Amino acid sequence: MSARDQLLVVIDPVARRTDGESVRIAKDVLGAGAAVRVCLPDGPEDFTKALARRGARRLVVIGDDRALLRAVAALHRERDLAGCALSVVPVGAAQTLTLTRGLGVPTGAVAAARAVLEGAERRLDLLVDDSDGVVLGDLRIPPVAAGRSPSVPEDVSSPVGAGGSSRVVAGRAGVATEGHAWLRSCQSFVRTLAARPARPSRAAPPARLRIEADGVTLVGLDQPVEGVRVTAGGGGLARVEVHPSPSAGADASPVRVRARTVTVSGADFRYRADSVVAGPVRTRTWTVRARAWGLTLPR
């Protein structure tokens, strides 16, 4: 049996908890077309160990955007992105699947699982910052429209949350009931809080930041900016878009360039890398890594 017919399927805890039916459907479709080994990680150490033991198996992640980000980040830390073609079956609420949808992954469990079996690898550019963080989609300053409040903590049951143990199941065995009663009670309480309506967010005031692209200053500290967006656009170059604030009286036309490196510095600022809000920092540099990671997409 070829390596393409052998899969290591990592099922994100959030996907197992929120949409077990889609998880089951995806497992059935994958199991019908390949030899499947299922991993149910409870913490980051489990996930890293599972990757190290995958051998020649292709890695498949069942989960939302954050699950995909965790997988890419883990492989990047292990410097193993070049040798691993990722596949993903999106499972989660619609607002948590914007990244995978934008990358071209089918959103239905059946279609996405079939793409895993029948699709082809596509090499994609990656944004890597000077703290070894990664960005698959786009970077935004300020961190608007993140899909969740920056004050909401990470889900500790996810592969980058608190450490724990994992369960590995060969073949088509079902997903075991997990967790203790106290943990389920805590999770229920957190979901109750998360379901409350979010407070209306106020627009962030213009920030005084220096934006540099390949060493060339696009906007200096003397002109406030309302927003910055950086996207790995392909071809080894990022698309950079800066919106100066019109309040300063200077030219407020958007600045758009393509560059390999982007540096933002100035007063403490936060940023959103895909769905993850980070900061505050005073300076950060992002560099494009051309064709750094592979994703299986429909032919």
Side-chain angles (χ1 to χ4, degrees):
M1 182 176 291
S2 68
R4 182 171 180 81
D5 297 325
Q6 301 178 63
L7 307 177
L8 173 64
V9 180
V10 180
I11 305 177
D12 184 69
V14 177
R16 305 199 303 264
R17 189 169 61 243
T18 58
D19 193 351
E21 180 64 14
S22 291
V23 170
R24 183 193 64 78
I25 292 172
K27 283 179 56 189
D28 287 348
V29 174
L30 294 173
V36 173
R37 180 178 174 89
V38 176
C39 180
L40 310 176
D42 288 329
E45 294 181 359
D46 305 328
F47 188 77
T48 301
K49 290 177 181 178
L51 295 183
R53 295 195 300 263
R54 76 182 185 278
R57 293 177 180 269
R58 289 198 296 138
L59 178 61
V60 182
V61 176
I62 298 180
D64 58 13
D65 290 348
R66 285 178 175 251
L68 175 62
L69 286 168
R70 293 175 194 122
V72 174
L75 290 168
H76 172 69
R77 288 193 300 269
E78 298 298 320
R79 301 300 184 259
D80 200 17
L81 272 177
C84 179
L86 268 168
S87 300
V88 60
V89 177
V91 173
Q95 66 269 23
T96 68
L97 303 177
T98 55
L99 172 61
T100 52
R101 185 167 54 247
L103 291 171
V105 179
T107 53
V110 174
R114 286 178 176 169
V116 172
L117 299 172
E118 304 168 0
E121 178 188 2
R122 179 182 173 188
R123 302 303 297 182
L124 302 172
D125 290 356
L126 185 70
L127 280 173
V128 179
D129 67 38
D130 47 14
S131 70
D132 222 23
V134 298
V135 185
L136 309 186
D138 64 1
L139 162 81
R140 290 179 182 267
I141 307 171
V144 296
R148 64 182 288 175
S149 169
S151 63
V152 178
E154 292 284 343
D155 191 328
V156 297
S157 66
S158 66
V160 291
S165 61
S166 66
R167 293 167 300 284
V168 179
V169 186
R172 293 195 182 188
V175 177
T177 302
E178 61 178 293
H180 301 287
W182 64 270
L183 178 58
R184 290 196 296 271
S185 298
C186 291
Q187 291 170 339
S188 176
F189 177 66
V190 170
R191 287 195 297 272
T192 300
L193 293 179
R196 293 180 178 178
R199 295 180 180 179
S201 58
R202 293 177 294 179
R208 292 189 178 272
L209 300 171
R210 176 182 289 110
I211 317 296
E212 300 172 76
D214 288 341
V216 177
T217 300
L218 304 180
V219 175
L221 296 174
D222 57 332
Q223 184 173 11
V225 298
E226 290 188 341
V228 180
R229 181 178 183 181
V230 182
T231 306
L237 296 174
R239 293 193 296 266
V240 185
E241 186 172 332
V242 182
H243 290 267
S245 172
S247 60
D251 183 12
S253 301
V255 179
R256 297 182 177 90
V257 299
R258 292 175 66 88
R260 183 175 180 273
T261 63
V262 179
T263 299
V264 180
S265 58
D268 289 350
F269 65 92
R270 295 183 181 274
Y271 60 91
R272 179 170 65 88
D274 295 316
S275 58
V276 179
V277 175
V281 295
R282 292 194 173 183
T283 183
R284 182 120 294 169
T285 296
W286 289 269
T287 302
V288 179
R289 304 277 180 88
R291 298 172 57 85
W293 69 293
L295 181 65
T296 302
L297 295 173
R299 295 181 185 272

